[in-house]
Amino acid sequence: KMTEDVIQMIRVLYDAVGGARWYRRQPPPIKANCRGLRRDLIARHFPTAGRLRDYLDTFSWDRS
């Protein structure tokens, strides 16, 4: 299912930034993507891979 694919993509990002050990220290843009790994929040904000891609294309990786 597409929703599961999106959740797994976000899980890759979560793991890439350090997983549970470093998540709370991440800047707001990373947390806005990962949404605490809550499946319901991820599915609501990123119902398709295209929506996630569009968001990632426009969000800033700047920590400030």
Side-chain angles (χ1 to χ4, degrees):
K1 189 173 178 183
M2 189 178 305
T3 302
E4 188 61 30
D5 291 345
V6 171
I7 290 167
Q8 292 304 315
M9 285 186 271
I10 289 175
R11 179 63 195 226
V12 168
L13 173 63
Y14 175 85
D15 289 339
V17 299
R21 182 174 181 183
W22 297 100
Y23 181 71
R24 71 175 174 205
R25 296 183 184 109
Q26 295 304 316
I30 295 294
K31 290 181 178 180
N33 280 307
C34 295
R35 304 201 176 266
L37 293 183
R38 287 199 38 199
R39 299 170 75 78
D40 60 329
L41 295 178
I42 293 168
R44 186 177 317 136
H45 291 341
F46 306 116
T48 66
R51 288 277 300 271
L52 176 59
R53 183 198 63 226
D54 290 345
Y55 180 78
L56 291 174
D57 282 346
T58 61
F59 103 115
S60 173
W61 289 89
D62 185 13
R63 292 192 126 229
S64 56

